[in-house]
Amino acid sequence: MGGGIATTLVSASYLLAAALFITGLKRMSSPVTARGGIVWAGVGMVVATVATFFTPDLSNFALIMVAIALGGGVAWITGKRVAMTDMPQMIALYNGMGGGAAAAIAAVELFKGEAHSGVVLALAVLGGLIGAVSFSGSLIAFGKLQDLIKRSFRFRGQNIVNLAVLLASVLVGGSLVFAAMGPAAGVVTLFFGLALVLGVTMTLPIGGADMPVVISLYNALTGLAVAFEGFVLNNAAMIIAGVVVGSAGTLLTQLMARAMNRSLANVLFSGFGETAGPQGEVSGSMKGIDAADVGVMMAFAQKVIIVPGYGMAVAQAQHKVWELAKLLQDRGVTVKFAIHPVAGRMPGHMNVLLAEAGVPYDVIYDESEINAEFDNTDVALIIGANDVVNPAARTDKSSPIYGMPILNADKARNVIVIKRGKGSGFSGIENGLFFLDNTHMLYGDGQAMAAALIQSVKAL
Amino acid sequence: MIDGFIALYIFMLAAFTGYEVIGRVPTILHTPLMSGSNFVHGIVLVGAMVALGRASTTLEMVIGFLGVALGAGNAVGGYVVTERMLEMFRSSKPSGTGQTSGKQH
């Protein structure tokens, strides 16, 4: 980049944008300042985008503006409309778009075949590879969570096939870097084709339950791809923002994997998500109860802990559940919400869903804060949660979820489980909690049952 | 302009920054934060704008156009969903529901 006032202004704007991104992310890590955080980052994005129009030697302005209006417009509409329950797959989709954009930058640079140094070419190729994998992989993740892809495709030697595709992409990519005549168009096409296939074959075998970890990983990867393309384009804002997201995303991925008691390698290469086979059958029987009895039980309790799961959100019961909680609070009952890190479909997803219903975040506790309290709790109301309250995680070494931190709901004096039917949870594991002496099952739709409980408490 | 060790320094410092910024985030904010960081890498939009702005052949223009559209989708979509999620987080104290669970026993 040469001198010139325009260049200086663009660079200064990028510096400002990078500072705003970092400040924004920092503010987003506390619930008190989080709302402002995204606005700060948003200002940074606008500053950087506007400044880019003043980059010297740019043309095709009309095309640029049409593309921004098109991509931005579609994303605006879908983003405004998506239900909170579907948030994880939407994040995957937008993330995939970012990966695709990074790959597109790499493709343009490689097709141009301008004289770059070997290091720059290598970064362009690497960023293109990661971006393309993140693009196609995120689309598959979206399809799975959106139920467009119903099953996991798995076959013998899958890891070997993936490894072969990876090696082929790296070899073809490497040949692009070392090509004496500059990258040939056919080879560039082959390279991106292989990278896209790799994203698909890597993601298809992974089960729905593990998808959040994968989405988070692709988020980090997209950050890295953006940073690499930033080096190619000499763009400091892309480098800084990309690397910050890359490292923050890696940490976030580890936190999520840990909350699910899985290692990242395990998620990527073993594909447990849906295969949990037959385990030790749980003996005993489930005892039903009706809503009127549960209403009485809760209304005269000292302390009630509500454990919501994704099932509650699917039944759209969160508003009713909060109404019930307020009713109990008015009667002097202490009501707390206990949220497992992986409740919902992604760590923190349940908090979003409760927030949507108007539940203040300071009556919501996570597993480490509240687990000691179940001992002196009169009623634990479990609605739509299953695996995260399965005591097998503490006791049964043969269980696939053994060792996963769980909510000790079984230690409450009474456990009420609102459940649609007798089936097992997302992971397909039988839950011993349902068969305990102090557990009663309230069969029915989450929303209908919550409404019935409200009626019975009101009637007292 | 940015090359060699300078590039590595930027890389290293930004990596530490990302790690530190996220380090102590509570679980309740994991989903919005992932969405927020997803928005931040939407900065790829500016790179795609430069790529399209300098494209000369039809092929380059088509790919560049796709890149800008995708990048804009990443940035705008990421912002909209993050903002929607964070907008909902509120404390019981200022909102005056008056029934924080901690008070009664």
Side-chain angles (χ1 to χ4, degrees), chain A residues 52 55 57-60 64 101-109 112 229 233 235 238, chain B residues 44-57 60-61 63-65 67-68:
Chain A
T52 303
T55 308
D57 309 326
L58 282 202
S59 46
N60 300 332
I64 293 178
I105 295 171
V108 170
E109 289 300 311
K112 266 191 174 158
E229 299 310 327
L233 296 174
N235 186 315
M238 283 172 73
Chain B
V44 69
L45 170 62
V46 304
M49 286 167 68
V50 172
L52 175 55
R54 291 182 183 159
S56 40
T57 68
E60 290 165 23
M61 281 188 205
I63 298 173
F65 186 87
V68 174

PDB file of all heavy atoms in Angstrom, chain A residues 52 55 57-60 64 101-109 112 229 233 235 238, chain B residues 44-57 60-61 63-65 67-68:
ATOM      1  N   THR A  52     -13.927   1.336   3.472  1.00  0.00           N
ATOM      2  CA  THR A  52     -13.399   0.496   2.399  1.00  0.00           C
ATOM      3  C   THR A  52     -13.727   1.056   1.014  1.00  0.00           C
ATOM      4  O   THR A  52     -12.963   0.881   0.063  1.00  0.00           O
ATOM      5  CB  THR A  52     -13.936  -0.939   2.549  1.00  0.00           C
ATOM      6  OG1 THR A  52     -13.570  -1.408   3.845  1.00  0.00           O
ATOM      7  CG2 THR A  52     -13.361  -1.868   1.506  1.00  0.00           C
ATOM      8  N   THR A  55     -10.934   2.931  -0.553  1.00  0.00           N
ATOM      9  CA  THR A  55      -9.682   2.271  -0.897  1.00  0.00           C
ATOM     10  C   THR A  55      -9.282   2.649  -2.326  1.00  0.00           C
ATOM     11  O   THR A  55     -10.124   2.607  -3.229  1.00  0.00           O
ATOM     12  CB  THR A  55      -9.853   0.737  -0.817  1.00  0.00           C
ATOM     13  OG1 THR A  55     -10.405   0.409   0.448  1.00  0.00           O
ATOM     14  CG2 THR A  55      -8.517   0.034  -1.005  1.00  0.00           C
ATOM     15  N   ASP A  57      -7.868   2.536  -6.112  1.00  0.00           N
ATOM     16  CA  ASP A  57      -7.889   1.554  -7.206  1.00  0.00           C
ATOM     17  C   ASP A  57      -9.070   0.599  -7.183  1.00  0.00           C
ATOM     18  O   ASP A  57      -8.988  -0.494  -7.719  1.00  0.00           O
ATOM     19  CB  ASP A  57      -6.594   0.692  -7.222  1.00  0.00           C
ATOM     20  CG  ASP A  57      -5.353   1.550  -7.182  1.00  0.00           C
ATOM     21  OD1 ASP A  57      -5.398   2.652  -7.760  1.00  0.00           O
ATOM     22  OD2 ASP A  57      -4.367   1.126  -6.556  1.00  0.00           O
ATOM     23  N   LEU A  58     -10.144   0.955  -6.517  1.00  0.00           N
ATOM     24  CA  LEU A  58     -11.308   0.068  -6.549  1.00  0.00           C
ATOM     25  C   LEU A  58     -12.219   0.463  -7.700  1.00  0.00           C
ATOM     26  O   LEU A  58     -12.351   1.632  -8.025  1.00  0.00           O
ATOM     27  CB  LEU A  58     -12.116   0.155  -5.252  1.00  0.00           C
ATOM     28  CG  LEU A  58     -11.628  -0.574  -4.012  1.00  0.00           C
ATOM     29  CD1 LEU A  58     -12.783  -0.814  -3.064  1.00  0.00           C
ATOM     30  CD2 LEU A  58     -10.924  -1.872  -4.336  1.00  0.00           C
ATOM     31  N   SER A  59     -12.840  -0.552  -8.304  1.00  0.00           N
ATOM     32  CA  SER A  59     -13.902  -0.267  -9.268  1.00  0.00           C
ATOM     33  C   SER A  59     -15.065  -1.203  -8.971  1.00  0.00           C
ATOM     34  O   SER A  59     -15.117  -1.779  -7.880  1.00  0.00           O
ATOM     35  CB  SER A  59     -13.386  -0.446 -10.701  1.00  0.00           C
ATOM     36  OG  SER A  59     -12.668  -1.650 -10.795  1.00  0.00           O
ATOM     37  N   ASN A  60     -15.984  -1.385  -9.908  1.00  0.00           N
ATOM     38  CA  ASN A  60     -17.149  -2.263  -9.713  1.00  0.00           C
ATOM     39  C   ASN A  60     -18.015  -1.842  -8.527  1.00  0.00           C
ATOM     40  O   ASN A  60     -18.596  -2.680  -7.838  1.00  0.00           O
ATOM     41  CB  ASN A  60     -16.717  -3.724  -9.506  1.00  0.00           C
ATOM     42  CG  ASN A  60     -15.935  -4.267 -10.678  1.00  0.00           C
ATOM     43  OD1 ASN A  60     -16.120  -3.829 -11.809  1.00  0.00           O
ATOM     44  ND2 ASN A  60     -15.043  -5.202 -10.403  1.00  0.00           N
ATOM     45  N   ILE A  64     -20.616  -4.033  -6.080  1.00  0.00           N
ATOM     46  CA  ILE A  64     -20.386  -4.160  -4.640  1.00  0.00           C
ATOM     47  C   ILE A  64     -21.653  -3.807  -3.877  1.00  0.00           C
ATOM     48  O   ILE A  64     -22.083  -4.530  -2.970  1.00  0.00           O
ATOM     49  CB  ILE A  64     -19.220  -3.251  -4.183  1.00  0.00           C
ATOM     50  CG1 ILE A  64     -17.898  -3.744  -4.791  1.00  0.00           C
ATOM     51  CG2 ILE A  64     -19.113  -3.221  -2.665  1.00  0.00           C
ATOM     52  CD1 ILE A  64     -16.702  -2.893  -4.442  1.00  0.00           C
ATOM     53  N   ALA A 101     -17.171 -16.408   2.190  1.00  0.00           N
ATOM     54  CA  ALA A 101     -16.609 -15.136   1.735  1.00  0.00           C
ATOM     55  C   ALA A 101     -15.084 -15.185   1.771  1.00  0.00           C
ATOM     56  O   ALA A 101     -14.414 -14.716   0.841  1.00  0.00           O
ATOM     57  CB  ALA A 101     -17.127 -13.988   2.611  1.00  0.00           C
ATOM     58  N   ALA A 102     -14.527 -15.779   2.840  1.00  0.00           N
ATOM     59  CA  ALA A 102     -13.068 -15.901   2.934  1.00  0.00           C
ATOM     60  C   ALA A 102     -12.540 -16.757   1.789  1.00  0.00           C
ATOM     61  O   ALA A 102     -11.520 -16.438   1.163  1.00  0.00           O
ATOM     62  CB  ALA A 102     -12.664 -16.490   4.286  1.00  0.00           C
ATOM     63  N   ALA A 103     -13.252 -17.861   1.506  1.00  0.00           N
ATOM     64  CA  ALA A 103     -12.835 -18.727   0.404  1.00  0.00           C
ATOM     65  C   ALA A 103     -12.925 -17.983  -0.925  1.00  0.00           C
ATOM     66  O   ALA A 103     -12.067 -18.149  -1.802  1.00  0.00           O
ATOM     67  CB  ALA A 103     -13.705 -19.987   0.374  1.00  0.00           C
ATOM     68  N   ALA A 104     -13.968 -17.138  -1.084  1.00  0.00           N
ATOM     69  CA  ALA A 104     -14.125 -16.378  -2.325  1.00  0.00           C
ATOM     70  C   ALA A 104     -12.953 -15.410  -2.523  1.00  0.00           C
ATOM     71  O   ALA A 104     -12.453 -15.259  -3.643  1.00  0.00           O
ATOM     72  CB  ALA A 104     -15.452 -15.616  -2.305  1.00  0.00           C
ATOM     73  N   ILE A 105     -12.521 -14.766  -1.427  1.00  0.00           N
ATOM     74  CA  ILE A 105     -11.365 -13.868  -1.528  1.00  0.00           C
ATOM     75  C   ILE A 105     -10.146 -14.649  -2.018  1.00  0.00           C
ATOM     76  O   ILE A 105      -9.437 -14.230  -2.937  1.00  0.00           O
ATOM     77  CB  ILE A 105     -11.058 -13.219  -0.169  1.00  0.00           C
ATOM     78  CG1 ILE A 105     -12.212 -12.310   0.263  1.00  0.00           C
ATOM     79  CG2 ILE A 105      -9.741 -12.428  -0.229  1.00  0.00           C
ATOM     80  CD1 ILE A 105     -12.084 -11.805   1.682  1.00  0.00           C
ATOM     81  N   ALA A 106      -9.930 -15.822  -1.420  1.00  0.00           N
ATOM     82  CA  ALA A 106      -8.796 -16.654  -1.823  1.00  0.00           C
ATOM     83  C   ALA A 106      -8.918 -17.035  -3.293  1.00  0.00           C
ATOM     84  O   ALA A 106      -7.937 -16.976  -4.050  1.00  0.00           O
ATOM     85  CB  ALA A 106      -8.735 -17.907  -0.951  1.00  0.00           C
ATOM     86  N   ALA A 107     -10.140 -17.396  -3.716  1.00  0.00           N
ATOM     87  CA  ALA A 107     -10.340 -17.824  -5.097  1.00  0.00           C
ATOM     88  C   ALA A 107     -10.011 -16.695  -6.068  1.00  0.00           C
ATOM     89  O   ALA A 107      -9.321 -16.899  -7.072  1.00  0.00           O
ATOM     90  CB  ALA A 107     -11.779 -18.303  -5.287  1.00  0.00           C
ATOM     91  N   VAL A 108     -10.500 -15.481  -5.773  1.00  0.00           N
ATOM     92  CA  VAL A 108     -10.220 -14.349  -6.652  1.00  0.00           C
ATOM     93  C   VAL A 108      -8.709 -14.125  -6.755  1.00  0.00           C
ATOM     94  O   VAL A 108      -8.158 -13.961  -7.852  1.00  0.00           O
ATOM     95  CB  VAL A 108     -10.940 -13.072  -6.159  1.00  0.00           C
ATOM     96  CG1 VAL A 108     -10.455 -11.855  -6.937  1.00  0.00           C
ATOM     97  CG2 VAL A 108     -12.446 -13.217  -6.293  1.00  0.00           C
ATOM     98  N   GLU A 109      -8.034 -14.141  -5.604  1.00  0.00           N
ATOM     99  CA  GLU A 109      -6.586 -13.921  -5.611  1.00  0.00           C
ATOM    100  C   GLU A 109      -5.870 -14.992  -6.427  1.00  0.00           C
ATOM    101  O   GLU A 109      -4.941 -14.701  -7.184  1.00  0.00           O
ATOM    102  CB  GLU A 109      -6.039 -13.914  -4.173  1.00  0.00           C
ATOM    103  CG  GLU A 109      -6.428 -12.695  -3.365  1.00  0.00           C
ATOM    104  CD  GLU A 109      -5.922 -11.394  -3.998  1.00  0.00           C
ATOM    105  OE1 GLU A 109      -4.730 -11.339  -4.349  1.00  0.00           O
ATOM    106  OE2 GLU A 109      -6.729 -10.460  -4.148  1.00  0.00           O
ATOM    107  N   LYS A 112      -6.579 -14.735 -10.163  1.00  0.00           N
ATOM    108  CA  LYS A 112      -5.832 -13.611 -10.725  1.00  0.00           C
ATOM    109  C   LYS A 112      -4.408 -14.022 -11.050  1.00  0.00           C
ATOM    110  O   LYS A 112      -3.814 -13.560 -12.020  1.00  0.00           O
ATOM    111  CB  LYS A 112      -5.785 -12.467  -9.714  1.00  0.00           C
ATOM    112  CG  LYS A 112      -6.875 -11.452  -9.912  1.00  0.00           C
ATOM    113  CD  LYS A 112      -6.568 -10.255  -9.055  1.00  0.00           C
ATOM    114  CE  LYS A 112      -7.568  -9.170  -9.346  1.00  0.00           C
ATOM    115  NZ  LYS A 112      -7.662  -8.227  -8.256  1.00  0.00           N
ATOM    116  N   GLU A 229      -6.702 -14.464   5.069  1.00  0.00           N
ATOM    117  CA  GLU A 229      -6.974 -13.646   3.886  1.00  0.00           C
ATOM    118  C   GLU A 229      -6.632 -12.183   4.169  1.00  0.00           C
ATOM    119  O   GLU A 229      -6.287 -11.423   3.265  1.00  0.00           O
ATOM    120  CB  GLU A 229      -8.427 -13.798   3.435  1.00  0.00           C
ATOM    121  CG  GLU A 229      -8.823 -15.234   3.039  1.00  0.00           C
ATOM    122  CD  GLU A 229      -7.871 -15.894   2.065  1.00  0.00           C
ATOM    123  OE1 GLU A 229      -7.290 -15.192   1.209  1.00  0.00           O
ATOM    124  OE2 GLU A 229      -7.665 -17.128   2.178  1.00  0.00           O
ATOM    125  N   LEU A 233      -4.421  -9.694   1.850  1.00  0.00           N
ATOM    126  CA  LEU A 233      -4.889  -8.397   1.364  1.00  0.00           C
ATOM    127  C   LEU A 233      -4.251  -7.234   2.117  1.00  0.00           C
ATOM    128  O   LEU A 233      -4.604  -6.082   1.879  1.00  0.00           O
ATOM    129  CB  LEU A 233      -6.410  -8.302   1.497  1.00  0.00           C
ATOM    130  CG  LEU A 233      -7.246  -9.264   0.666  1.00  0.00           C
ATOM    131  CD1 LEU A 233      -8.711  -9.128   1.019  1.00  0.00           C
ATOM    132  CD2 LEU A 233      -7.032  -9.017  -0.822  1.00  0.00           C
ATOM    133  N   ASN A 235      -4.729  -6.385   5.170  1.00  0.00           N
ATOM    134  CA  ASN A 235      -5.829  -5.699   5.824  1.00  0.00           C
ATOM    135  C   ASN A 235      -5.782  -5.966   7.327  1.00  0.00           C
ATOM    136  O   ASN A 235      -6.109  -7.061   7.802  1.00  0.00           O
ATOM    137  CB  ASN A 235      -7.145  -6.210   5.219  1.00  0.00           C
ATOM    138  CG  ASN A 235      -8.348  -5.462   5.722  1.00  0.00           C
ATOM    139  OD1 ASN A 235      -8.463  -5.217   6.917  1.00  0.00           O
ATOM    140  ND2 ASN A 235      -9.222  -5.085   4.814  1.00  0.00           N
ATOM    141  N   MET A 238      -9.002  -7.140   9.274  1.00  0.00           N
ATOM    142  CA  MET A 238      -9.326  -8.553   9.098  1.00  0.00           C
ATOM    143  C   MET A 238      -8.398  -9.437   9.914  1.00  0.00           C
ATOM    144  O   MET A 238      -8.824 -10.434  10.500  1.00  0.00           O
ATOM    145  CB  MET A 238      -9.228  -8.942   7.617  1.00  0.00           C
ATOM    146  CG  MET A 238     -10.405  -8.496   6.775  1.00  0.00           C
ATOM    147  SD  MET A 238     -10.087  -8.780   5.019  1.00  0.00           S
ATOM    148  CE  MET A 238     -10.224 -10.559   4.893  1.00  0.00           C
TER     149      MET A 238
ATOM    150  N   VAL B  44     -14.892  -9.879   7.204  1.00  0.00           N
ATOM    151  CA  VAL B  44     -14.462 -10.456   5.933  1.00  0.00           C
ATOM    152  C   VAL B  44     -15.121  -9.714   4.771  1.00  0.00           C
ATOM    153  O   VAL B  44     -14.612  -9.681   3.653  1.00  0.00           O
ATOM    154  CB  VAL B  44     -14.797 -11.978   5.887  1.00  0.00           C
ATOM    155  CG1 VAL B  44     -16.299 -12.212   5.802  1.00  0.00           C
ATOM    156  CG2 VAL B  44     -14.077 -12.660   4.747  1.00  0.00           C
ATOM    157  N   LEU B  45     -16.245  -9.074   5.073  1.00  0.00           N
ATOM    158  CA  LEU B  45     -16.934  -8.262   4.057  1.00  0.00           C
ATOM    159  C   LEU B  45     -15.995  -7.254   3.409  1.00  0.00           C
ATOM    160  O   LEU B  45     -15.992  -7.103   2.179  1.00  0.00           O
ATOM    161  CB  LEU B  45     -18.125  -7.538   4.705  1.00  0.00           C
ATOM    162  CG  LEU B  45     -18.820  -6.457   3.862  1.00  0.00           C
ATOM    163  CD1 LEU B  45     -19.425  -7.051   2.598  1.00  0.00           C
ATOM    164  CD2 LEU B  45     -19.895  -5.752   4.675  1.00  0.00           C
ATOM    165  N   VAL B  46     -15.189  -6.558   4.210  1.00  0.00           N
ATOM    166  CA  VAL B  46     -14.342  -5.519   3.609  1.00  0.00           C
ATOM    167  C   VAL B  46     -13.306  -6.137   2.676  1.00  0.00           C
ATOM    168  O   VAL B  46     -12.970  -5.569   1.640  1.00  0.00           O
ATOM    169  CB  VAL B  46     -13.669  -4.612   4.679  1.00  0.00           C
ATOM    170  CG1 VAL B  46     -14.701  -3.987   5.589  1.00  0.00           C
ATOM    171  CG2 VAL B  46     -12.601  -5.331   5.455  1.00  0.00           C
ATOM    172  N   GLY B  47     -12.807  -7.338   3.039  1.00  0.00           N
ATOM    173  CA  GLY B  47     -11.859  -8.019   2.159  1.00  0.00           C
ATOM    174  C   GLY B  47     -12.519  -8.415   0.853  1.00  0.00           C
ATOM    175  O   GLY B  47     -11.936  -8.266  -0.233  1.00  0.00           O
ATOM    176  N   ALA B  48     -13.756  -8.910   0.956  1.00  0.00           N
ATOM    177  CA  ALA B  48     -14.471  -9.322  -0.249  1.00  0.00           C
ATOM    178  C   ALA B  48     -14.755  -8.106  -1.125  1.00  0.00           C
ATOM    179  O   ALA B  48     -14.689  -8.184  -2.358  1.00  0.00           O
ATOM    180  CB  ALA B  48     -15.771 -10.031   0.137  1.00  0.00           C
ATOM    181  N   MET B  49     -15.050  -6.941  -0.485  1.00  0.00           N
ATOM    182  CA  MET B  49     -15.275  -5.718  -1.258  1.00  0.00           C
ATOM    183  C   MET B  49     -14.033  -5.347  -2.064  1.00  0.00           C
ATOM    184  O   MET B  49     -14.114  -4.969  -3.233  1.00  0.00           O
ATOM    185  CB  MET B  49     -15.644  -4.559  -0.326  1.00  0.00           C
ATOM    186  CG  MET B  49     -17.054  -4.651   0.236  1.00  0.00           C
ATOM    187  SD  MET B  49     -17.325  -3.499   1.603  1.00  0.00           S
ATOM    188  CE  MET B  49     -17.254  -1.926   0.758  1.00  0.00           C
ATOM    189  N   VAL B  50     -12.872  -5.464  -1.414  1.00  0.00           N
ATOM    190  CA  VAL B  50     -11.623  -5.153  -2.118  1.00  0.00           C
ATOM    191  C   VAL B  50     -11.398  -6.148  -3.256  1.00  0.00           C
ATOM    192  O   VAL B  50     -11.019  -5.772  -4.374  1.00  0.00           O
ATOM    193  CB  VAL B  50     -10.425  -5.164  -1.127  1.00  0.00           C
ATOM    194  CG1 VAL B  50      -9.115  -5.051  -1.882  1.00  0.00           C
ATOM    195  CG2 VAL B  50     -10.570  -4.036  -0.124  1.00  0.00           C
ATOM    196  N   ALA B  51     -11.675  -7.448  -2.982  1.00  0.00           N
ATOM    197  CA  ALA B  51     -11.472  -8.470  -4.013  1.00  0.00           C
ATOM    198  C   ALA B  51     -12.369  -8.184  -5.220  1.00  0.00           C
ATOM    199  O   ALA B  51     -11.916  -8.245  -6.367  1.00  0.00           O
ATOM    200  CB  ALA B  51     -11.765  -9.855  -3.440  1.00  0.00           C
ATOM    201  N   LEU B  52     -13.645  -7.868  -4.955  1.00  0.00           N
ATOM    202  CA  LEU B  52     -14.559  -7.569  -6.061  1.00  0.00           C
ATOM    203  C   LEU B  52     -14.175  -6.253  -6.739  1.00  0.00           C
ATOM    204  O   LEU B  52     -14.212  -6.137  -7.968  1.00  0.00           O
ATOM    205  CB  LEU B  52     -16.003  -7.507  -5.548  1.00  0.00           C
ATOM    206  CG  LEU B  52     -17.097  -7.089  -6.546  1.00  0.00           C
ATOM    207  CD1 LEU B  52     -17.071  -7.978  -7.789  1.00  0.00           C
ATOM    208  CD2 LEU B  52     -18.468  -7.141  -5.903  1.00  0.00           C
ATOM    209  N   GLY B  53     -13.763  -5.281  -5.933  1.00  0.00           N
ATOM    210  CA  GLY B  53     -13.397  -3.976  -6.477  1.00  0.00           C
ATOM    211  C   GLY B  53     -12.190  -4.033  -7.402  1.00  0.00           C
ATOM    212  O   GLY B  53     -11.999  -3.146  -8.234  1.00  0.00           O
ATOM    213  N   ARG B  54     -11.379  -5.056  -7.242  1.00  0.00           N
ATOM    214  CA  ARG B  54     -10.194  -5.172  -8.089  1.00  0.00           C
ATOM    215  C   ARG B  54     -10.328  -6.286  -9.117  1.00  0.00           C
ATOM    216  O   ARG B  54      -9.378  -6.592  -9.848  1.00  0.00           O
ATOM    217  CB  ARG B  54      -8.958  -5.411  -7.224  1.00  0.00           C
ATOM    218  CG  ARG B  54      -8.603  -4.186  -6.405  1.00  0.00           C
ATOM    219  CD  ARG B  54      -7.360  -4.416  -5.584  1.00  0.00           C
ATOM    220  NE  ARG B  54      -7.090  -3.232  -4.760  1.00  0.00           N
ATOM    221  CZ  ARG B  54      -6.350  -3.257  -3.673  1.00  0.00           C
ATOM    222  NH1 ARG B  54      -5.795  -4.386  -3.269  1.00  0.00           N
ATOM    223  NH2 ARG B  54      -6.139  -2.155  -2.985  1.00  0.00           N
ATOM    224  N   ALA B  55     -11.493  -6.940  -9.152  1.00  0.00           N
ATOM    225  CA  ALA B  55     -11.691  -8.040 -10.090  1.00  0.00           C
ATOM    226  C   ALA B  55     -11.755  -7.494 -11.509  1.00  0.00           C
ATOM    227  O   ALA B  55     -12.304  -6.427 -11.744  1.00  0.00           O
ATOM    228  CB  ALA B  55     -12.982  -8.783  -9.751  1.00  0.00           C
ATOM    229  N   SER B  56     -11.180  -8.227 -12.470  1.00  0.00           N
ATOM    230  CA  SER B  56     -11.223  -7.756 -13.849  1.00  0.00           C
ATOM    231  C   SER B  56     -11.951  -8.724 -14.775  1.00  0.00           C
ATOM    232  O   SER B  56     -12.740  -8.297 -15.610  1.00  0.00           O
ATOM    233  CB  SER B  56      -9.804  -7.494 -14.356  1.00  0.00           C
ATOM    234  OG  SER B  56      -8.930  -8.482 -13.896  1.00  0.00           O
ATOM    235  N   THR B  57     -11.716 -10.034 -14.652  1.00  0.00           N
ATOM    236  CA  THR B  57     -12.415 -10.969 -15.539  1.00  0.00           C
ATOM    237  C   THR B  57     -13.824 -11.244 -14.999  1.00  0.00           C
ATOM    238  O   THR B  57     -14.133 -10.946 -13.844  1.00  0.00           O
ATOM    239  CB  THR B  57     -11.671 -12.317 -15.625  1.00  0.00           C
ATOM    240  OG1 THR B  57     -11.767 -12.951 -14.347  1.00  0.00           O
ATOM    241  CG2 THR B  57     -10.221 -12.127 -15.980  1.00  0.00           C
ATOM    242  N   GLU B  60     -13.748 -13.670 -12.023  1.00  0.00           N
ATOM    243  CA  GLU B  60     -13.372 -13.012 -10.771  1.00  0.00           C
ATOM    244  C   GLU B  60     -14.520 -12.180 -10.213  1.00  0.00           C
ATOM    245  O   GLU B  60     -14.748 -12.139  -9.007  1.00  0.00           O
ATOM    246  CB  GLU B  60     -12.151 -12.107 -10.995  1.00  0.00           C
ATOM    247  CG  GLU B  60     -10.858 -12.869 -11.247  1.00  0.00           C
ATOM    248  CD  GLU B  60      -9.778 -11.957 -11.826  1.00  0.00           C
ATOM    249  OE1 GLU B  60      -9.853 -10.722 -11.624  1.00  0.00           O
ATOM    250  OE2 GLU B  60      -8.879 -12.487 -12.501  1.00  0.00           O
ATOM    251  N   MET B  61     -15.244 -11.533 -11.127  1.00  0.00           N
ATOM    252  CA  MET B  61     -16.359 -10.700 -10.677  1.00  0.00           C
ATOM    253  C   MET B  61     -17.458 -11.539 -10.054  1.00  0.00           C
ATOM    254  O   MET B  61     -18.042 -11.170  -9.037  1.00  0.00           O
ATOM    255  CB  MET B  61     -16.932  -9.894 -11.847  1.00  0.00           C
ATOM    256  CG  MET B  61     -16.089  -8.679 -12.173  1.00  0.00           C
ATOM    257  SD  MET B  61     -16.947  -7.665 -13.375  1.00  0.00           S
ATOM    258  CE  MET B  61     -15.581  -6.824 -14.128  1.00  0.00           C
ATOM    259  N   ILE B  63     -17.198 -14.523  -8.636  1.00  0.00           N
ATOM    260  CA  ILE B  63     -16.769 -15.032  -7.328  1.00  0.00           C
ATOM    261  C   ILE B  63     -16.726 -13.893  -6.301  1.00  0.00           C
ATOM    262  O   ILE B  63     -17.151 -14.042  -5.158  1.00  0.00           O
ATOM    263  CB  ILE B  63     -15.391 -15.715  -7.437  1.00  0.00           C
ATOM    264  CG1 ILE B  63     -15.472 -16.908  -8.382  1.00  0.00           C
ATOM    265  CG2 ILE B  63     -14.927 -16.182  -6.067  1.00  0.00           C
ATOM    266  CD1 ILE B  63     -14.135 -17.533  -8.675  1.00  0.00           C
ATOM    267  N   GLY B  64     -16.202 -12.743  -6.746  1.00  0.00           N
ATOM    268  CA  GLY B  64     -16.138 -11.598  -5.838  1.00  0.00           C
ATOM    269  C   GLY B  64     -17.521 -11.164  -5.388  1.00  0.00           C
ATOM    270  O   GLY B  64     -17.734 -10.851  -4.217  1.00  0.00           O
ATOM    271  N   PHE B  65     -18.470 -11.174  -6.342  1.00  0.00           N
ATOM    272  CA  PHE B  65     -19.853 -10.801  -6.018  1.00  0.00           C
ATOM    273  C   PHE B  65     -20.424 -11.740  -4.957  1.00  0.00           C
ATOM    274  O   PHE B  65     -21.001 -11.304  -3.955  1.00  0.00           O
ATOM    275  CB  PHE B  65     -20.709 -10.865  -7.290  1.00  0.00           C
ATOM    276  CG  PHE B  65     -22.116 -10.374  -7.100  1.00  0.00           C
ATOM    277  CD1 PHE B  65     -22.424  -9.029  -7.233  1.00  0.00           C
ATOM    278  CD2 PHE B  65     -23.141 -11.265  -6.787  1.00  0.00           C
ATOM    279  CE1 PHE B  65     -23.721  -8.568  -7.057  1.00  0.00           C
ATOM    280  CE2 PHE B  65     -24.443 -10.822  -6.609  1.00  0.00           C
ATOM    281  CZ  PHE B  65     -24.733  -9.467  -6.747  1.00  0.00           C
ATOM    282  N   GLY B  67     -18.711 -13.474  -2.861  1.00  0.00           N
ATOM    283  CA  GLY B  67     -17.990 -13.209  -1.620  1.00  0.00           C
ATOM    284  C   GLY B  67     -18.575 -12.030  -0.863  1.00  0.00           C
ATOM    285  O   GLY B  67     -18.791 -12.108   0.347  1.00  0.00           O
ATOM    286  N   VAL B  68     -18.861 -10.938  -1.577  1.00  0.00           N
ATOM    287  CA  VAL B  68     -19.420  -9.751  -0.910  1.00  0.00           C
ATOM    288  C   VAL B  68     -20.803 -10.059  -0.350  1.00  0.00           C
ATOM    289  O   VAL B  68     -21.124  -9.706   0.794  1.00  0.00           O
ATOM    290  CB  VAL B  68     -19.490  -8.552  -1.882  1.00  0.00           C
ATOM    291  CG1 VAL B  68     -20.211  -7.380  -1.230  1.00  0.00           C
ATOM    292  CG2 VAL B  68     -18.090  -8.133  -2.302  1.00  0.00           C
TER     293      VAL B  68
END
